[in-house]
Amino acid sequence: MLSRIDHIGIACHDLDATVEFYKKTYGFTDAHFEVNEEQGVRECMLKINTTGDGAASYIQLITPTRPDSTVAKWLEKNGEGVHHIAFGTDGSDVQAEADGIAAGGVRVLYDAPRRGSMGSRITFLHPKDCHGVLTELVQKAPEA
Ligand code: MC0
């Protein structure tokens, strides 16, 4: 079951400057920095809330690490802003969730889950099948 908003992904040109804006303006905490070469992004997870069960939600700031990154392409076309929304599973298998959604005719972008932030398992749904929203499914790492 998809039970929470795991994060909202925001594309930006200057990661460090954007992180500072979010910290200074809203008082959020930069919980985690990571480079994900497969996805072509450097990212920062800003923790927004914790629910007591470890299922925090985050703002994820992402900037491209290379010109052929999907985020570089998106930034060039759209400029900075909300890039995707990510729904978290309640611990259920992310591929099983994706298979269930695919059965309804939505394109799942990966054949098998890939590595996401903080050791999570992720996949994406095509934005054209989701009313214009690039949608990510996240199964957080067991220890996260
Ligand atoms: C593209 N489109 C979007 C979009 N990206 N619509 C809404 N939100 C987005 N983020 C639209 C374009 O405007 C275009 O519409 C159509 O989709 C095709 O886009 P394209 O520019 O021709 O690009 P494609 O087809 O080469 O690739 C789009 C696709 C790709 C969504 C398949 O970006 C992709 O595979 N994304 C998933 C991976 C990803 O985004 N990784 C970065 C975050 P028109 O109407 O002009 O045809 S990694 C991440 O977030 C990890 C680290 C994590 O959370 O842990």
Side-chain angles (χ1 to χ4, degrees), residues 7 39 43 60 73-74 77 83-84 116-117 128 132 136:
H7 66 266
Q39 295 290 339
E43 61 160 81
Q60 180 191 54
K73 187 176 176 183
W74 190 86
K77 186 173 170 186
H83 177 263
H84 65 271
S117 188
K128 291 294 178 190
E136 182 180 343

Side-chain angles (χ1 to χ4, degrees), residues 2 5 17 22 36 40-41 51 54 64 74 81 86 90 98-99 102 119 140:
L2 300 175
I5 292 174
Y22 273 82
N36 186 326
V41 297
T51 57
W74 190 86
D90 58 358
D99 289 345
K140 67 185 172 66

